[in-house]
Each structure stands twice: as C-alpha cells, then as structure tokens.
Amino acid sequence: MLELRRLVLICEFARKGSIAAAAESLGYSPSAVSQQLVALERETGTALIDRTARSAELTDAGRRLVMHAERILSMVEEAESDLSAHAGKPAGRVVVTAFPTAAVAFAPALARSLRRHTELTLRLGQSRSGRGLREVQSGEVDIALVDDWYGRVRDSDSVRVFPLLHDPLVLVVPRKHRLADPDVPVDLRELRDEPWMATPDGEPSRLAVDRLLVDVGGTRPSPWEFEGLGTILSLVAKGIGIAAVPALALAAGVRGLAVRQFPGNPVGRDVHAVARGSSVHRPSVSVTLRAIHVAARYIAADLDPVRAAERSQMGRPSLDGLDLPVRSAGDVVGRSFGE
C-alpha cells in the first residue's frame, strides 16, 4: 500500500526539481525527504529517481507514478471537501496568496468578512505575478488572486477561475501638475516628454505601459525604474514625475495624487480568484471565495472607477453553489477610472 505522505513528497520533488528544494518547501530536512523517497521505491519495487553525485531526476517510472499520485491526491482532497461540506461549518486554516497590490487592496475587507467565523483562520501572503496559479495547482495555497493582462487565465480540469474585476491603467500626476486639472485634455504625444516613473523592464505593469504608449513612440527619455507600485506612487505624490499604474494600486491610499483616465480604451488587466476544483466545496474555501467576491465589490465602490465583474444567472460563474461554468476573461466588463 502506497503512503499518501510519500506521494506528496515525490510530487513536490517533481515540481521543485531537487530534493533540497522539495524539503525546503515542505519543511523537512533533505535527508528525511531522501529517506522517504527511498522507502517509496521499496514500496513500488522500482527505481523512481536517478541519482548522481550532483543531481537527481525522475526516471520514467517516477514520472508515471507522479501522474498517478496527482490524481490520487486530488481525489483525496475532493473526498475531504465533500465530508467537510456536509459538516457545514468553516474551520481550520485557509491559505490565500495574491499579487502585491491585490493583497493590500483585499486584506481589510477579507479580514472584516471572515472574522465572524471564529474557527477559521486566514493566512494571506504575497506572490509575484504568475506564481499564484502554480501555487494553487501544487497545493501550496488554497486560493490565489491573480492578474491577467492578456486573457490567458482560464479554468482547466483541475482549477476553477472566478473573475472579480477589470483593472485599467490610469494616469497619476502630482496635485500641482497641469494635468491635475480635469479640463486639460490628456494627450499621449505630449506625455512622451514627461519624467516617467515605471517598474523595471519585464514586469507586467511595465509591459502594459509600453503597450499603452507604443503608438506615440514610447516615453522619452527612458523612464526611471523602481520596484513596487507603492514606491512609484509615493514618488509621483512628491512631484518627481508621472506614472501609469493599475487603478487597484490606488487602494494603498497614497495622498497628493491626481488621477486621470487615458483617452480611448486604455490597457488594463483582469483580476481573478483561482482555486482547485477539488477544494471549492470545502466550507473554509467556499466561505473565503464568497468573502473575496464581496471584497471585490467593496474595492470597486472605494475606487469608483473599477467596477466589479458583472454576473448574470446564465452562463456565468457564480459563488452560489460554485457550480456554474466559468466565463473567460474576455467576458469581464469594466469601465475607465473617473476623473
């Protein structure tokens, strides 16, 4: 009989690529993980890992076992969720991760909504763009708030996607800037010569800014680069430059800014909650997904420009019962930031 904890270990080894990384991820020592994998090889009667002096990798048999193990562990989680759903009361710990601006924006409303569930504890962490979905798939977290700039995040056999809101790029300028006056039109060509603050090359928000300005030849000179949208907002508030940021970043409440919408149909991103299909009916996960949905509506009201995704009763995802089909990112409707 194969032990589930050893199946977890070999799946984590497959995801992380090394015994040391798998051990760090799961909180074990490398020697303990190595010993358990050796025991798993004895249980299966075949070599699962090809070890050399400097590395280790799965054999063909190891890769086949990982495929079976992922299905087995998913079924176990589904069984646990079914039993928990019949118990009915949210309890235990639910782990949520979010890209940084979403973590800041959603944390207050989530805390308010979930604190009445006295047997439930929430852990909300931050992850870089693109990691949240992988962490849900690997089982490291229960729910991830992810940003989707290109409409590529969709549900799959293992993951459910719940659209929350559309988040457009907006222009932020100091209060004393000429464009702080809403009667002065925003001209992208004139903005080329402004001192721009931006995230480093390769960051999703930087790519979005580059897309926004591509028709006018980009910025001139090259923008000053800073890690973190919060840092950029604080620099703009001090009068050092201007920036284009997702409207959600304004939830941090930085003062001294004027916010303008870009002309036409500005670049933006969609924000989704994603969770494993095998866990969404677990009371702790279900109630947290509902709280995230409510938080999205609070955020939309606070920011005014960011409208929570519209939902209808037919063909749209619903948190009521969590059993309706998930819509694609292209169905998400939003409006630009008001001046």
Side-chain angles (χ1 to χ4, degrees):
M1 179 71 70
L2 300 178
E3 287 197 15
L4 289 178
R5 61 192 179 96
R6 290 173 183 157
L7 295 182
V8 170
L9 288 176
I10 196 168
C11 287
E12 193 66 11
F13 171 79
R15 283 189 287 266
K16 299 298 185 181
S18 72
I19 289 176
E24 181 180 2
S25 174
L26 295 172
Y28 297 122
S29 68
S31 61
V33 171
S34 182
Q35 290 169 11
Q36 290 300 312
L37 292 176
V38 169
L40 183 59
E41 288 179 315
R42 288 198 300 268
E43 288 178 345
T44 59
T46 187
L48 302 173
I49 296 176
D50 184 12
R51 297 172 176 82
T52 66
R54 294 187 176 182
S55 65
E57 61 181 21
L58 291 170
T59 63
D60 288 344
R63 284 189 284 271
R64 289 197 300 274
L65 179 60
V66 167
M67 291 175 59
H68 289 299
E70 287 175 342
R71 289 197 295 270
I72 290 167
L73 293 172
S74 178
M75 292 174 67
V76 169
E77 182 174 47
E78 191 171 352
E80 292 173 341
S81 295
D82 180 66
L83 293 173
S84 295
H86 283 82
K89 190 172 184 179
R93 185 174 74 163
V94 62
V95 181
V96 180
T97 190
F99 57 95
T101 50
V104 172
F106 278 79
L110 268 181
R112 285 194 298 266
S113 181
L114 293 177
R115 63 187 176 187
R116 68 178 182 273
H117 300 288
T118 57
E119 296 184 24
L120 178 69
T121 59
L122 169 70
R123 177 184 175 186
L124 174 60
Q126 295 186 14
S127 59
R128 296 185 67 85
S129 181
R131 285 190 53 86
L133 181 59
R134 293 194 295 271
E135 291 174 346
V136 167
Q137 292 171 324
S138 69
E140 297 173 70
V141 303
D142 298 303
I143 302 167
L145 300 180
V146 301
D147 55 352
D148 182 12
W149 291 93
Y150 301 101
R152 295 173 181 170
V153 179
R154 289 181 168 85
D155 58 317
S156 65
D157 291 340
S158 60
V159 172
R160 300 279 312 272
V161 178
F162 301 93
L164 297 173
L165 53 84
H166 182 72
D167 187 20
L169 281 184
V170 295
L171 176 67
V172 290
V173 299
R175 283 288 187 189
K176 295 183 179 180
H177 193 279
R178 62 185 178 81
L179 287 177
D181 181 354
D183 293 327
V184 177
V186 174
D187 187 333
L188 287 176
R189 295 186 183 280
E190 292 182 3
L191 291 176
R192 288 188 62 210
D193 299 321
E194 294 278 350
W196 281 86
M197 312 283 110
T199 52
D201 265 333
E203 288 289 322
S205 60
R206 172 64 179 278
L207 294 174
V209 173
D210 292 344
R211 285 165 56 200
L212 178 74
L213 297 172
V214 67
D215 290 339
V216 295
T219 60
R220 189 179 60 202
S222 297
W224 296 359
E225 297 180 345
F226 299 92
E227 287 280 359
L229 293 174
T231 299
I232 290 171
L233 290 176
S234 67
L235 291 170
V236 173
K238 293 179 185 301
I240 296 174
I242 69 171
V245 301
L248 194 62
L250 301 173
V254 177
R255 297 183 180 276
L257 299 172
V259 183
R260 300 291 305 275
Q261 70 178 25
F262 286 105
N265 186 24
V267 175
R269 62 183 173 182
D270 296 312
V271 179
H272 310 298
V274 297
R276 292 182 300 282
S278 56
S279 72
V280 293
H281 292 291
R282 186 188 309 160
S284 59
V285 174
S286 177
V287 75
T288 304
L289 283 170
R290 292 176 189 276
I292 288 170
H293 174 67
V294 171
R297 294 192 178 278
Y298 276 120
I299 290 165
D302 287 344
L303 295 179
D304 187 39
V306 186
R307 187 173 66 185
E310 300 288 346
R311 303 179 191 274
S312 70
Q313 296 300 313
M314 297 296 293
R316 305 290 186 179
S318 172
L319 295 178
D320 296 327
L322 300 171
D323 57 1
L324 295 183
V326 177
R327 64 179 169 181
S328 67
D331 292 324
V332 179
V333 178
R335 60 184 174 88
S336 299
F337 209 82
E339 297 182 34

